[in-house]
């Protein structure tokens, strides 16, 4: 793997940097700086700008709007977005569902859904976890019974509950795992459905998280009628789709470029905040050691991600590497949040203003450090808990 940047790569970096500087909405940047809660249109406005540029879906096949970038260019793009502190495109449609559709979907499904996902016209949510099926996802109980409607068409009638549905309050559509054969082995009786969230019988109930934000939800499905044509892949074989989607999700959770930028911010904070013994916190040997150890681990993770990108460019999908990226990436994110909270000191004490965001009692860099810390405790759980990822590695890599 050659990590030297070619003249073409350097030219691409300059192009990406200039585009971000010119095109990222000023009002969105100001909202982020003030720690305001962002709404649906905030996320979609940036997505649409990227779609107009043709950069909304870098990893997609070229025929559906992918960029045909090299792994190095994808790496550069993620670095430049992090450097510019831009929002990332929400992963549910572009990074998670789309690969399932263009890999397993029908031509009709590809034509119907992929353009709108690419262009930011549909907001998707994920209906996987249930109150009794989190890390043990195959134990899900949401039921879909196949029936023939009065119009002669076939439908699924879906009943059950999903939980921890991120930003489901904004969703236009959702992708759901449902049980279509209750008598088979757990993984063998699951199907993958695309459901319009405006369908009668769907109720979204907010869950308020530790930092006071409304990010996740319960979703109740009561006799929800879904056309059979909205099933992706074969009936009772949705687990194949589920595993493919989770591999893409876990790779994306690593967030290496964002963590590198986060480490820069921690250094900036610690260079102005004072240690207990006086002098800049960054000069304190104990704090400095934590920063150095974290940087070493982050560099190792970065090279692991680059190897994964190189494999994907040669046609190899994400495998057990995605579990490694998920474990280390989320652990590093949590350590970063802890260091930021330590650097903020008493200024990091949460002060929840209207809408649940931190109105701030100190320097701008201390805003929401406590909220980010509390919210970040979930990263080692969602997308498949880190304990489960270790089990996957033990089985698939070590043969245990």
């Amino acid at each position: 793997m050659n990590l030297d940047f070619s003249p073409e790569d350097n030219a691409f970096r300059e192009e990406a940097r200039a585009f971000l500087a010119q095109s990222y909405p000023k009002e969105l940047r100001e909202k982020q700086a003030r720690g305001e809660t962002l709404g649906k249109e905030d996320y979609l406005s940036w997505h649409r700008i990227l779609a107009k540029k043709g950069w909304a879906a870098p990893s997609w096949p070229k025929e559906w709007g992918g960029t045909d970038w090299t792994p190095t260019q994808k790496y550069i793009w993620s670095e430049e977005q992090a450097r510019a502190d831009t929002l990332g495109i929400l992963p549910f449609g572009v990074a998670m569902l789309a690969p399932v559709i263009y890999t397993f979907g029908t031509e009709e499904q590809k034509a119907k859904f992929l353009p709108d996902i690419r262009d930011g016209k549909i907001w998707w949510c994920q209906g996987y976890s249930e109150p009794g099926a989190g890390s043990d996802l195959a134990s899900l109980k949401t039921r879909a019974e196949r029936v023939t409607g009065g119009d002669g068409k076939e439908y699924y009638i879906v009943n059950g509950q999903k939980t921890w549905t991120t930003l489901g309050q904004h969703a236009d559509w959702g992708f759901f795992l449902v049980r279509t054969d209750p008598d088979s082995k757990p993984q063998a009786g699951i199907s993958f459905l695309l459901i319009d969230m405006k369908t009668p019988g769907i109720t979204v109930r907010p869950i308020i998280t530790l930092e006071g934000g409304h990010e996740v939800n319960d979703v109740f499905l009561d006799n929800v009628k879904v056309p059979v044509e909205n099933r992706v892949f074969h009936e009772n074989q949705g687990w194949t789709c589920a595993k493919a989607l989770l591999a893409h999700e876990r790779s994306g959770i690593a967030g290496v470029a964002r963590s590198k930028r986060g480490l820069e911010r921690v250094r900036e904070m610690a260079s102005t905040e004072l240690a207990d013994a006086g002098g800049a916190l960054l000069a304190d040997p104990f704090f400095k050691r934590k920063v150095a150890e974290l940087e070493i681990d982050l560099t190792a993770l970065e090279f692991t991600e680059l190897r994964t990108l190189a494999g994907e460019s040669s046609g190899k999908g994400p495998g057990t590497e995605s579990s490694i990226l998920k474990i280390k990436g989320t652990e590093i994110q949590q350590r970063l949040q802890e260091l930021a909270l330590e650097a903020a000191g008493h200024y990091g004490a949460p002060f929840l203003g209207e809408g649940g965001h931190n109105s701030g009692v100190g320097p701008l860099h201390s805003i929401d450090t406590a909220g980010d810390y509390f919210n970040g405790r979930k990263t080692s759980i969602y997308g498949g808990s880190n304990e489960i990822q270790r089990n996957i590695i033990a089985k698939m890599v070590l043969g245990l």
Side-chain angles (χ1 to χ4, degrees):
M1 183 173 61
N2 185 2
L3 294 180
D4 292 332
F5 293 115
S6 67
E8 292 78 13
D9 291 333
N10 288 324
F12 173 74
R13 185 185 292 278
E14 292 303 316
E15 180 187 3
R17 188 170 295 183
F19 169 71
L20 290 169
Q22 295 166 6
S23 303
Y24 196 68
K26 179 182 177 183
E27 59 274 16
L28 189 52
R29 189 176 300 284
E30 290 173 349
K31 280 187 175 182
Q32 289 175 263
R34 292 192 297 266
E36 292 186 20
T37 301
L38 301 179
K40 181 175 182 177
E41 192 53 39
D42 292 318
Y43 287 97
L44 291 182
S45 64
W46 177 230
H47 186 149
R48 291 166 185 155
I49 291 170
L50 290 173
K52 186 176 180 180
K53 176 72 171 175
W55 287 6
S59 297
W60 287 21
K62 184 72 172 177
E63 63 180 302
W64 292 110
T67 58
D68 209 22
W69 287 345
T70 65
T72 305
Q73 288 174 314
K74 293 176 187 177
Y75 167 77
I76 289 171
W77 175 236
S78 66
E79 276 207 323
E80 289 303 315
Q81 287 183 97
R83 176 184 174 275
D85 290 325
T86 68
L87 288 179
I89 284 184
L90 290 172
F92 308 108
V94 169
M96 293 162 61
L97 176 61
V100 170
I101 292 179
Y102 62 65
T103 301
F104 301 103
T106 64
E107 292 305 314
E108 291 77 13
Q109 288 169 341
K110 294 175 188 177
K112 178 179 180 179
F113 293 109
L114 290 179
D116 285 346
I117 293 174
R118 178 196 63 214
D119 296 340
K121 294 181 179 179
I122 295 179
W123 183 298
W124 288 86
C125 67
Q126 180 182 20
Y128 269 33
S129 294
E130 299 183 6
S135 294
D136 183 16
L137 186 59
S139 65
L140 65 89
K141 291 181 172 57
T142 294
R143 179 78 185 275
E145 183 180 359
R146 191 164 178 165
V147 301
T148 301
D151 54 5
K153 296 181 180 180
E154 288 193 287
Y155 296 89
Y156 290 107
I157 303 300
V158 183
N159 286 279
Q161 179 188 351
K162 298 294 180 178
T163 194
W164 311 123
T165 306
T166 303
L167 300 176
Q169 71 269 31
H170 300 314
D172 304 301
W173 281 72
F175 49 94
F176 288 76
L177 291 182
V178 298
R179 188 161 300 285
T180 42
D181 184 356
D183 299 320
S184 67
K185 292 182 179 180
Q187 288 90 343
I190 292 171
S191 295
F192 190 102
L193 299 185
L194 309 179
I195 302 179
D196 187 335
M197 294 294 286
K198 297 183 293 295
T199 307
I202 295 179
T203 302
V204 179
R205 186 177 71 186
I207 299 173
I208 304 304
T209 46
L210 276 173
E211 86 290 1
H214 176 198
E215 184 180 18
V216 291
N217 305 268
D218 282 316
V219 176
F220 300 90
L221 302 105
D222 182 14
N223 290 321
V224 175
K225 189 176 180 181
V226 181
V228 168
E229 65 194 37
N230 285 5
R231 186 194 71 232
V232 179
F233 204 47
H234 308 301
E235 187 171 273
N236 299 326
Q237 295 185 33
W239 193 250
T240 300
C241 301
K243 289 192 298 182
L245 185 145
L246 285 169
H248 286 281
E249 180 185 7
R250 288 163 187 160
S251 297
I253 289 173
V256 172
R258 300 282 176 181
S259 290
K260 288 175 67 177
R261 178 67 184 108
L263 188 59
E264 290 179 12
R265 284 196 291 268
V266 166
R267 281 202 177 95
E268 291 165 4
M269 292 174 64
S271 66
T272 59
E273 297 294 338
L274 298 180
D276 291 338
L281 179 61
L282 191 58
D284 178 84
F286 295 104
F287 190 85
K288 185 189 294 186
R289 176 172 178 166
K290 292 179 185 178
V291 171
E293 289 174 341
L294 186 56
E295 184 171 20
I296 291 168
D297 288 347
L298 182 54
T299 301
L301 181 65
E302 180 180 16
F303 279 87
T304 302
E305 184 179 57
L306 286 169
R307 285 196 298 271
T308 303
L309 283 173
E312 288 182 17
S313 70
S314 62
K316 176 187 174 185
T320 50
E321 300 93 341
S322 64
S323 293
I324 297 171
L325 290 170
K326 199 273 178 180
I327 293 169
K328 295 304 297 183
T330 55
E331 288 178 349
I332 284 171
Q333 289 164 32
Q334 290 176 341
R335 288 163 62 191
L336 268 171
Q337 292 156 355
E338 186 174 347
L339 279 178
L341 187 58
E342 183 177 345
H346 62 276
Y347 289 129
F351 174 70
L352 298 180
E354 185 179 354
H357 70 276
N358 187 345
S359 299
V361 293
L364 279 178
H365 63 228
S366 67
I367 291 179
D368 275 338
T369 50
D372 290 343
Y373 173 83
F374 290 130
N375 189 272
R377 300 310 92 191
K378 70 176 185 280
T379 60
S380 54
I381 300 172
Y382 67 59
S385 71
N386 287 7
E387 290 78 7
I388 294 296
Q389 302 317 304
R390 290 183 172 90
N391 288 346
I392 291 172
I393 293 167
K395 179 179 179 181
M396 303 302 294
V397 178
L398 302 178
L400 300 177

